[in-house]
Amino acid sequence: MVDEITQVSAFGAAAVHALCISGLTAAHCFSGRGALVSDPAHALGLLVVFEAPLVIAVFSLIRRDPKQCSFLKAVVRGLLGLPIGALLNAFGAIVLGAPVGIKYWTATIYWSLLMSLFTFVPAACVFGASKVNWQNVLSHSNYCRPTNAVDYMISAPAHGAVIGAWLGAWPMPLDWERTWQEWPICVTYGSVAGYLIGMAISLLLIVTRKRRDRAKAD
Amino acid sequence: MAAPATHGRRSRRRAWPLLFFTILALHSLAIYLFTRGFLLTRTELDVHSHRDDRTGISPGCSSWPPPAVDRLVIVVLDALRFDFVAPSTFFQEKQPWMDKLQVLQKLAAEEKTSARIFKALADPPTTSLQRLKALTTGGLPTFIDVGNSFGAPAIVEDNIMHQLVKNGKRVVMMGDDTWIQLYPEHFNNSFPYPSFNVKDLDTVDNGVIDHLLPSLRKNDWDVLIAHFLGVDHAGHIFGVDSNPMIQKLEQYNQILEDVIDTLKSLSTPGDIHENTLLLVMGDHGQTINGDHGGGTSEEVETSLFAWSPKSPPNAVFSVLDENSCNIDLHGKEVCISTMQQLDFAVTVAALLGIPFPFGSIGRVNPELYALSSGTWDNQKMGANDCIPQNDLEAWMQRYAEALCVNSWQVKRYIDLYSATSVIGFRAEYLDHVADLYSRAQANWSSVLKSTCPSETGTQDVLKECASKECTSSALRSQLDAYSKFLENFAKLARSSWTEFDLQLMGIGLSLMVLSVSTQACMLVKLNTNSQISDKERASSSSFPNFLFAFTLVAIRAASFLSNSYILAEGRVANFLLATSCIASVWHSATKGKFVIEEFVFLVLNIFIRFGIEFGMSKQISGPIISNDHPVSIICAFFGSFFCNSLMETFPIISLALVAYIILKCISYAMCQRFLKYFIISGSILSYIFIAIHWASESTFFYHAKAIKQIIISLAPQLVYTIGGLSLAISALYRLFGPIDNLKMNGRVTSLSAAMLCSWSPTILMLLGRQGPFVALICMTIAWCIIKLRQKHHRELKHDTLGVYVADPVLVTRWSLVAVCLFYLTGHCNDMKELIEKLAAKIDDLKTSLDKLAPLARVAEQLAMLPSKVVALQSSAFENQEQGFLQEMSQKDEKIKSIVSMGFPEDEAKMAITRCGLDASVEVLVDSIYALETAGNAYSANLSDYEDTESISFGRKKTKFMEGSQKKRKRYGSGSQGNPVPFDGSHEEPMPLPNPMVGFSLPSDRVRLVHRTLPDQAFGPPFFYYENVALAPKGVWTTISRFLYDIQPEFVDSKFFCAAARKRVYIHNLPIENRSPVLPRPPQNNI
């Protein structure tokens, strides 16, 4: 199994992340300035539409077992993972106190789809239903052990997005009376910020690991 | 408990309970000491003074003083700082908010004998509720007065209002509704207005203004109280140094002028205000930021202005010795005296001639007493009309009598208070004060002799002291003696009621630290004891757990630093609880396990959350349940009948479940046969009673009314009796029953089961209908946590020894669950009012918001970042030649189409410059049409208009900015500011007829909105209602409902000016031909 793992160079990882970010920026440019605040559902929908194909395609390319699993199969796995992940994320958000009124439904659905793209879909594309790999990605201990570059690329941004979203919920009860304190807006900002930071961390980890490996080899 | 332990360990274990008891005792002692120093307690005495109290106890002052004024007008301006009233010459520097109440200063300067400005010193806590209490009772209310219930703050203690009512005076109140809360049935007539909404500067004031002047002309009252709130609210929102504050003060100046004119016009002899006293006063001060509640000089110093239309004789000046005089702005001399707010109640009582409030500890203030001409009437009363006296002496005699009564009343209070209260005064101070009193009394009898020799019949004194100077000096020394007594006692009362006992607090705190640290040490020792075998493993797995629990607790602690989080405390606790659950699910997922309890816990979390939200929404919006609440969604889905029947039956079903679980629990846990059967039957009975009680309350089951009443009153009593009985019997059984051979664990279990069973029906009864639901949640959570703990121990493999070792995360979860349940049961509702009042008014915690401000700004900047990037890009794009050409062609096309409609070409061009290129043709046509209708005045050239606009704005802006800078810092807003009303309400002529936008935004393509007005709202009278858009849920729908169901119009001012303010307008003004405003001028782009 170890031999079959696709190795991703630091450069490749950077390219993957750059593609993901480009999806986000494209959606942002398209929806226009301040759209997330004025019409969150619309802006989030655009983000999902732009980001989904990019994430699914890119992570299907670096799937774990390219020999047994075709590109198409990985894409299908990703597409299946999207609603499942969205459901999990929405459940988490509601447990944590996200409002559930009719007014918020569309925004919540789009937000959880976006979170699913950040967290669940990459892993679904790459690993499929392999339990061990999933556990590895979920666990925080994989930052300490030497693991595969793809593991870093999946887990660091996902963790970042979740923690960012959690922190993003904190300004919501404050009485500043800003429009961005509404439900999905600041949480989205938090998760996107966390996602970007996670990407940077994953790149950093990959580079240091490569360097250490090289030192060991020498 | 088959512990294979050594002998030594066993003996040690026997000592554990003792140790825990020691720690418990230490904890309690520490908390007691700390609260004893921190929570200043004062016992409220429910004793009242009576008209016929004085039965000749002390000679010369055997009855309450006679009335000196007939009517009293009290105008309370909330949070009136001293420097709002006093001339600016009294201060080092003139500030913009000074000298605004010119009318008071003018009166004080011109009518020196009848008008005077006082600096009134309030006592902390300087919050309105406490101050009003102090003003009327003459006491020193603390935050927590013993005997004060949270829900109903109505005053128990004797107070002026009570005395007024009892002595047949009619009281009229208008303004702040706190008065109504304090004195629910004391007013003949009242016009209360809600004081809750701090952001509303005008509702209360306008209400008072509407009623004040008409009431002044009426004759159906003796005391009129008008409480204005505008200054307080303006301070809270904008700070003292702001435009709204100055506007408010100017408005008050106008009102006071009207009031004084009215009083003057009606003060001719025989008229209704012949002998009226006007008091204009603040209840407390405020800091520059508008905060109050503490004891700084700015908060404590407020002012009082007294004026009576009738002037007392000039001799009044000899009374006014302690004052500072200065030249005011107009070169006249103004004098200012200082008084204690404490003295207000008793002085007013003395002036009106009513019995002094029983608990008052103030002194009749000489200056205020002298200002009323009534006290100078040389009418002789009592025993002193023996020597002809001049004005001053007569007055001093009268004042001395008032003080004599005053001292007697205070002494009576001291005696009763130290006899009955839980925590009295220190004995040595009491002795000192009592000594002063007896000395003063002794002196008084000698003075009486000196002033009235004919009655006392001792000629020696007359010989010794024949001259008038002697009489007056005797009187003076008498006054001093009384004053000394009263001042000393006030000082003593202050020290025990308003000053924190730092020493006690320090001891308590250090004791707490000590006991917590011993407890921690013990726990650590226990942990290491039980984990000797696999120490390494345990420490490696428990450290992250510990860190996580610590973080949760730290976040919760930090959340108390901010107002908003305190208001949302239930939600914060729930959020943290959910976080810990999710984290543990995550944790078990990494190990590849799925723990059912965690999942159940998560689902329960959702229940708790909705419960908390439901409770809150019930509280906030009252009868209107917001449309997007889950409960109402379900109701809408299934129909209201189903919903109602579900609501009715649900508590009973869950009650049955709870009863089943508890009975199961007893039969499992208890072995003593007699006790077991007794308790089981008792709890079955009480559950049945509870069920019957609820069934009789509901409309579902029909009963005769009488039976219903009996059940409703009887059932709870029965439940409580059964609970108490079973508790008592199980306690007796433990004491005298047969000694069983059960082990420690079994005994504890059976005991706690008995306790649970005897308490649970009582608690359910008290909780009401939601009780069983809450109990179910609580039980399921307890089950989950216990199961999780067992699993945790099994993992660590010390199922026997690990009884003492607790997982820190689980412990934290317990405490968070407890907080959530507190909010779930709705107990917060009782506290809520109090908390909100405190939060809005004390603002002590606002300082912590100050610290958060930089963070907020960073967050906002972050939030603005993406939009800024886009703005940069778009501006770059616009600069390109290509874009310009495109614009040109667009412009040509538009002009062409407009010209083809029949408008002149130059007008079309101007319209395009005005509205921007991307405006649609309809907009352009609209604006041309609007210009024509507005007349030729504004159709001048455009550069002119821009100039005037920028000038006028610049001025307003800078003026406001100065004022609001501080405030803005506090609220952490970067782009807030410039609140120049853009809705056409300010005076500068706008070149467009009406700058308000329609229902859409100016940057979009304008849709012409056709609003349908209901028939009764159509046409004049026109009205126009405006307020902030971000009101609590349901407010706007309610407003709209009361205003003919007109659709609110939402406008965000950020499209017109730098400030982002969402406002809403409800109006029936015609909106046809309303053209949009100019798009943002290019120089405003940041």
Side-chain angles (χ1 to χ4, degrees):
Chain A
M1 184 182 147
V2 178
D3 348 342
E4 285 173 21
I5 290 173
T6 40
Q7 287 297 332
V8 179
S9 65
F11 214 69
V16 167
H17 286 341
L19 270 174
C20 292
I21 296 174
S22 73
L24 288 179
T25 36
H28 192 267
C29 291
F30 194 80
S31 61
R33 163 184 187 171
L36 189 58
V37 176
S38 55
D39 188 3
H42 177 68
L44 279 168
L46 274 177
L47 274 174
V48 171
V49 166
F50 273 79
E51 187 77 355
L54 271 174
V55 168
I56 293 177
V58 162
F59 281 94
S60 297
L61 276 178
I62 53 167
R63 61 196 179 279
R64 172 102 333 155
D65 34 12
K67 281 183 189 140
Q68 289 147 26
C69 169
S70 64
F71 175 74
L72 213 65
K73 198 177 166 192
V75 169
V76 171
R77 283 195 310 217
L79 285 177
L80 270 178
L82 185 61
I84 298 173
L87 212 66
L88 280 179
N89 274 306
F91 180 71
I94 287 170
V95 166
L96 283 170
V100 285
I102 291 169
K103 179 175 137 194
Y104 296 103
W105 276 12
T106 44
T108 308
I109 288 169
Y110 283 129
W111 174 83
S112 50
L113 284 172
L114 186 69
M115 283 303 284
S116 172
L117 283 174
F118 288 166
T119 55
F120 203 83
V121 173
C125 285
V126 174
F127 304 133
S130 146
K131 194 181 167 193
V132 183
N133 284 327
W134 273 95
Q135 281 178 30
N136 271 343
V137 170
L138 277 176
S139 153
H140 54 83
S141 55
N142 78 349
Y143 294 107
C144 320
R145 299 197 292 266
T147 38
N148 190 286
V150 181
D151 279 7
Y152 286 136
M153 282 165 58
I154 293 167
S155 64
H159 287 167
V162 170
I163 293 171
W166 187 81
L167 288 175
W170 277 98
M172 280 171 72
L174 291 173
D175 61 350
W176 298 342
E177 296 192 350
R178 291 306 146 103
T179 39
W180 54 261
Q181 282 177 290
E182 279 280 311
W183 143 237
I185 300 168
C186 56
V187 178
T188 310
Y189 278 129
S191 64
V192 169
Y195 186 58
L196 297 179
I197 292 169
M199 280 177 170
I201 289 174
S202 83
L203 280 181
L204 213 76
L205 282 170
I206 290 170
V207 169
T208 51
R209 203 180 69 97
K210 286 265 149 87
R211 198 163 284 170
R212 210 191 304 141
D213 285 357
R214 214 168 293 148
K216 248 182 217 167
D218 288 346
Chain B
M1 280 205 93
T6 59
H7 193 73
R9 189 178 288 177
R10 183 161 294 172
S11 71
R12 200 181 301 145
R13 192 173 296 168
R14 205 162 288 159
W16 287 134
L18 198 73
L19 250 170
F20 279 118
F21 265 111
T22 327
I23 288 175
L24 180 70
L26 261 177
H27 262 65
S28 331
L29 185 69
I31 289 171
Y32 170 75
L33 285 178
F34 184 81
T35 46
R36 179 87 172 66
F38 179 68
L39 294 179
L40 307 158
T41 42
R42 197 176 63 99
T43 314
E44 289 183 332
L45 298 181
D46 189 15
V47 185
H48 298 260
S49 302
H50 296 283
R51 166 65 56 193
D52 46 359
D53 263 345
R54 307 277 304 153
T55 44
I57 296 167
S58 106
C61 54
S62 56
S63 65
W64 301 104
V69 295
D70 298 334
R71 310 178 92 194
L72 186 62
V73 179
I74 303 178
V75 178
V76 182
L77 307 178
D78 212 291
L80 187 75
R81 284 163 62 97
F82 175 57
D83 56 6
F84 285 165
V85 176
S88 55
T89 45
F90 281 80
F91 304 96
Q92 287 177 343
E93 231 179 306
K94 180 175 158 48
Q95 302 286 355
W97 59 84
M98 290 179 181
D99 295 324
K100 294 295 166 203
L101 298 175
Q102 284 285 346
V103 57
L104 301 187
Q105 293 179 7
K106 211 172 125 205
L107 264 182
E110 285 171 0
E111 301 182 24
K112 275 190 178 170
T113 52
S114 62
R116 178 159 287 263
I117 294 170
F118 290 88
K119 180 201 263 185
L121 299 175
D123 291 291
T126 46
T127 52
S128 288
L129 183 82
Q130 263 72 24
R131 282 305 94 214
L132 291 190
K133 245 174 156 176
L135 283 173
T136 52
T137 59
L140 294 166
T142 55
F143 268 126
I144 298 164
D145 288 341
V146 176
N148 182 7
S149 61
F150 281 122
I155 291 186
V156 204
E157 283 182 296
D158 195 8
N159 54 69
I160 320 178
M161 294 297 138
H162 176 84
Q163 292 300 341
L164 285 172
V165 171
K166 259 176 70 183
N167 291 284
K169 305 269 182 192
R170 297 155 298 174
V171 188
V172 173
M173 197 284 310
M174 51 197 76
D176 189 354
D177 60 356
T178 315
W179 285 90
I180 300 291
Q181 289 173 24
L182 289 174
Y183 309 104
E185 52 220 6
H186 292 69
F187 301 113
N188 281 43
N189 205 352
S190 61
F191 308 97
Y193 294 90
S195 62
F196 176 67
N197 186 5
V198 184
K199 293 185 179 163
D200 180 0
L201 298 187
D202 294 321
T203 307
V204 177
D205 291 1
N206 292 342
V208 178
I209 294 165
D210 287 345
H211 292 109
L212 182 55
L213 289 179
S215 297
L216 281 180
R217 296 180 184 280
K218 286 182 192 156
N219 204 8
D220 58 351
W221 51 266
D222 299 301
V223 175
L224 183 144
I225 298 165
H227 193 137
F228 290 86
L229 275 181
V231 163
D232 184 44
H233 286 185
H236 278 303
I237 300 198
F238 302 104
V240 169
D241 193 1
S242 66
N243 261 356
M245 177 64 85
I246 287 163
Q247 283 164 11
K248 268 283 148 203
L249 289 173
E250 279 162 358
Q251 185 193 6
Y252 288 165
N253 191 46
Q254 187 57 45
I255 296 163
L256 290 173
E257 207 168 335
D258 292 346
V259 167
I260 288 166
D261 286 346
T262 313
L263 288 179
K264 265 186 186 162
S265 68
L266 293 172
S267 65
T268 48
D271 227 332
I272 53 173
H273 288 301
E274 185 193 353
N275 194 10
T276 301
L277 183 69
L278 169 72
L279 295 176
V280 178
M281 59 190 294
D283 54 350
H284 50 75
Q286 55 181 323
T287 61
I288 295 290
N289 285 336
D291 301 335
H292 55 87
T296 61
S297 63
E298 278 183 318
E299 292 161 273
V300 164
E301 283 173 12
T302 179
S303 42
L304 187 145
F305 169 84
W307 172 74
S308 68
K310 209 160 96 179
S311 308
N314 274 335
V316 72
F317 290 115
S318 51
V319 182
L320 313 171
D321 44 4
E322 309 165 27
N323 51 36
S324 62
C325 295
N326 214 330
I327 305 293
D328 76 349
L329 290 179
H330 307 290
K332 285 180 184 149
E333 194 185 41
V334 174
C335 293
I336 282 171
S337 320
T338 303
M339 73 176 281
Q340 299 290 332
Q341 212 182 42
L342 195 63
D343 302 340
F344 178 81
V346 72
T347 312
V348 164
L351 285 172
L352 285 169
I354 54 174
F356 300 168
F358 188 87
S360 157
I361 54 170
R363 171 178 73 118
V364 177
N365 185 279
E367 285 100 341
L368 192 53
Y369 197 60
L371 268 189
S372 139
S373 57
T375 57
W376 293 89
D377 287 346
N378 227 339
Q379 48 175 294
K380 300 289 178 244
M381 66 238 151
N384 57 339
D385 49 344
C386 34
I387 297 180
Q389 290 165 309
N390 64 13
D391 276 346
L392 181 62
E393 263 174 44
W395 185 85
M396 270 165 63
Q397 177 83 27
R398 182 163 175 172
Y399 179 58
E401 280 166 17
L403 272 191
C404 169
V405 178
N406 191 355
S407 305
W408 170 81
Q409 166 258 330
V410 169
K411 183 75 176 61
R412 182 178 66 161
Y413 176 67
I414 298 172
D415 292 343
L416 194 71
Y417 186 85
S418 29
T420 54
S421 78
V422 192
I423 304 157
F425 300 107
R426 301 255 300 266
E428 64 254 41
Y429 295 130
L430 269 185
D431 288 345
H432 175 63
V433 171
D435 180 48
L436 282 177
Y437 181 69
S438 56
R439 228 182 293 166
Q441 277 308 87
N443 202 17
W444 174 246
S445 41
S446 71
V447 168
L448 276 186
K449 282 172 202 163
S450 75
T451 49
C452 257
S454 58
E455 268 202 7
T456 49
T458 40
Q459 299 292 317
D460 316 340
V461 188
L462 196 62
K463 270 181 209 160
E464 279 173 36
C465 206
S467 65
K468 276 183 181 171
E469 286 79 40
C470 180
T471 327
S472 90
S473 76
L475 272 172
R476 252 185 216 289
S477 74
Q478 180 56 35
L479 292 182
D480 287 345
Y482 278 136
S483 297
K484 200 175 165 196
F485 160 69
L486 290 167
E487 272 160 17
N488 265 290
F489 180 67
K491 212 165 100 190
L492 171 62
R494 271 207 186 91
S495 75
S496 69
W497 289 334
T498 64
E499 285 162 23
F500 295 131
D501 193 335
L502 291 178
Q503 207 177 349
L504 270 183
M505 276 165 76
I507 293 171
L509 207 63
S510 47
L511 211 63
M512 196 66 180
V513 169
L514 195 80
S515 79
V516 166
S517 53
T518 43
Q519 193 188 7
C521 279
M522 258 178 61
L523 286 178
V524 166
K525 213 175 157 194
L526 262 176
N527 241 349
T528 48
N529 256 356
S530 61
Q531 291 176 2
I532 293 166
S533 52
D534 44 11
K535 199 175 171 182
E536 271 175 42
R537 218 179 117 196
S539 64
S540 72
S541 77
S542 71
F543 180 68
N545 259 353
F546 184 73
L547 197 70
F548 182 62
F550 183 77
T551 319
L552 284 185
V553 173
I555 290 174
R556 192 167 138 66
S559 78
F560 285 122
L561 292 177
S562 159
N563 251 345
S564 323
Y565 290 125
I566 290 173
L567 283 177
E569 196 196 337
R571 276 159 66 198
V572 170
N574 191 49
F575 182 77
L576 293 175
L577 187 65
T579 306
S580 89
C581 290
I582 288 175
S584 65
V585 167
W586 186 318
H587 185 69
S588 50
T590 55
K591 289 187 177 162
K593 282 180 299 184
F594 178 75
V595 190
I596 185 80
E597 287 85 7
E598 301 278 13
F599 186 72
V600 172
F601 212 137
L602 275 181
V603 174
L604 278 179
N605 237 314
I606 295 183
F607 275 110
I608 293 177
R609 199 209 117 178
F610 286 138
I612 291 174
E613 273 172 20
F614 187 57
M616 282 182 167
S617 67
K618 215 165 52 182
Q619 231 265 317
I620 291 170
S621 58
I624 316 154
I625 295 178
S626 53
N627 276 327
D628 40 87
H629 196 273
V631 174
S632 55
I633 292 170
I634 293 168
C635 281
F637 195 71
F638 289 109
S640 67
F641 176 75
F642 174 80
C643 191
N644 279 341
S645 53
L646 192 77
M647 285 285 199
E648 296 286 354
T649 48
F650 182 68
I652 297 187
I653 293 170
S654 46
L655 181 74
L657 264 173
V658 171
Y660 173 74
I661 292 171
I662 281 189
L663 291 180
K664 195 93 188 158
C665 180
I666 314 175
S667 56
Y668 175 75
M670 287 174 79
C671 310
Q672 303 95 329
R673 206 188 290 160
F674 166 69
L675 194 61
K676 184 175 170 178
Y677 290 132
F678 177 78
I679 286 183
I680 285 181
S681 54
S683 33
I684 288 175
L685 252 175
S686 27
Y687 280 110
I688 289 172
F689 279 132
I690 295 177
I692 290 173
H693 181 69
W694 287 344
S696 68
E697 271 182 347
S698 74
T699 50
F700 248 53
F701 307 96
Y702 181 74
H703 290 285
K705 213 167 186 182
I707 300 175
K708 219 175 187 172
Q709 283 302 319
I710 291 172
I711 291 173
I712 284 175
S713 63
L714 208 64
Q717 291 175 9
L718 280 172
V719 170
Y720 301 150
T721 346
I722 292 174
L725 220 70
S726 57
L727 203 67
I729 285 187
S730 55
L732 285 177
Y733 196 84
R734 275 227 58 76
L735 283 176
F736 303 112
I739 296 162
D740 41 32
N741 298 324
L742 278 175
K743 287 176 194 113
M744 166 96 167
N745 231 1
R747 263 188 309 189
V748 168
T749 319
S750 78
L751 252 178
S752 42
M755 288 279 277
L756 182 72
C757 293
S758 25
W759 277 115
S760 59
T762 313
I763 292 172
L764 284 179
M765 192 85 221
L766 289 174
L767 281 180
R769 271 142 184 287
Q770 53 181 341
F773 175 63
V774 175
L776 270 185
I777 285 182
C778 185
M779 281 175 178
T780 328
I781 282 177
W783 173 77
C784 282
I785 290 182
I786 290 168
K787 277 271 168 188
L788 282 172
R789 210 185 75 157
Q790 282 171 357
K791 275 196 181 156
H792 176 72
H793 288 317
R794 221 169 293 144
E795 250 168 59
L796 293 178
K797 289 200 184 88
H798 17 71
D799 22 6
T800 49
L801 285 172
V803 174
Y804 295 126
V805 189
D807 181 3
V809 177
L810 288 183
V811 173
T812 320
R813 231 184 259 185
W814 263 123
S815 83
L816 288 175
V817 165
V819 175
C820 287
L821 286 180
F822 174 74
Y823 282 92
L824 192 58
T825 53
H827 272 271
C828 52
N829 290 357
D830 300 337
M831 304 275 290
K832 189 145 180 155
E833 197 185 355
L834 182 89
I835 291 172
E836 282 182 349
K837 271 253 147 107
L838 290 185
K841 298 217 165 176
I842 304 175
D843 288 24
D844 265 353
L845 288 160
K846 283 256 169 81
T847 42
S848 62
L849 251 181
D850 280 339
K851 285 167 208 151
L852 272 179
L855 221 160
R857 210 168 305 150
V858 170
E860 203 177 2
Q861 287 303 318
L862 267 180
M864 298 280 276
L865 210 61
S867 48
K868 270 187 189 159
V869 171
V870 173
L872 274 177
Q873 282 172 349
S874 60
S875 66
F877 177 73
E878 270 169 24
N879 282 346
Q880 284 174 3
E881 194 76 355
Q882 189 75 34
F884 181 69
L885 283 176
Q886 209 177 337
E887 273 175 24
M888 287 310 285
S889 65
Q890 260 183 12
K891 191 175 177 178
D892 281 345
E893 245 176 53
K894 273 184 186 155
I895 290 175
K896 225 182 255 173
S897 61
I898 293 172
V899 170
S900 71
M901 287 172 167
F903 291 102
E905 198 180 343
D906 54 340
E907 271 193 13
K909 269 182 189 162
M910 251 166 81
I912 287 177
T913 4
R914 218 167 31 232
C915 300
L917 248 181
D918 37 8
S920 68
V921 176
E922 293 101 300
V923 179
L924 296 175
V925 172
D926 267 355
S927 90
I928 294 169
Y929 183 67
L931 257 186
E932 279 172 6
T933 50
N936 295 329
Y938 303 129
S939 62
N941 92 41
L942 213 89
S943 61
D944 268 357
Y945 139 63
E946 269 172 6
D947 276 338
T948 51
E949 192 206 17
S950 67
I951 287 167
S952 64
F953 270 44
R955 184 158 48 78
K956 276 230 164 181
K957 206 167 178 173
T958 47
K959 201 170 169 189
F960 185 82
M961 292 285 244
E962 282 167 10
S964 64
Q965 238 163 18
K966 200 130 198 180
K967 246 354 200 213
R968 293 204 287 127
K969 213 192 282 163
R970 186 161 79 188
Y971 283 103
S973 54
S975 66
Q976 204 180 31
N978 191 8
V980 178
F982 220 128
D983 47 21
S985 67
H986 76 128
E987 304 87 23
E988 272 82 20
M990 296 298 297
L992 288 167
N994 190 348
M996 238 174 69
V997 184
F999 292 74
S1000 59
L1001 309 169
S1003 57
D1004 298 347
R1005 289 173 58 82
V1006 171
R1007 293 156 269 161
L1008 288 173
V1009 180
H1010 295 290
R1011 181 184 58 173
T1012 45
L1013 280 174
D1015 289 340
Q1016 67 263 42
F1018 195 78
F1022 290 112
F1023 63 87
Y1024 168 82
Y1025 180 88
E1026 178 241 7
N1027 212 326
V1028 287
L1030 290 163
K1033 274 179 198 165
V1035 164
W1036 275 113
T1037 43
T1038 315
I1039 294 172
S1040 161
R1041 205 173 60 221
F1042 285 110
L1043 292 173
Y1044 307 107
D1045 279 329
I1046 296 176
Q1047 284 296 312
E1049 181 173 0
F1050 286 79
V1051 176
D1052 192 338
S1053 70
K1054 79 176 173 197
F1055 295 103
F1056 314 106
C1057 62
R1061 278 205 173 61
K1062 285 202 158 179
R1063 296 245 138 200
V1064 181
Y1065 308 84
I1066 294 181
H1067 59 92
N1068 66 345
L1069 302 173
I1071 56 169
E1072 303 88 53
N1073 302 328
R1074 193 168 62 169
S1075 49
V1077 211
L1078 285 171
R1080 186 190 309 213
Q1083 66 266 29
N1084 274 16
N1085 263 337
I1086 305 152

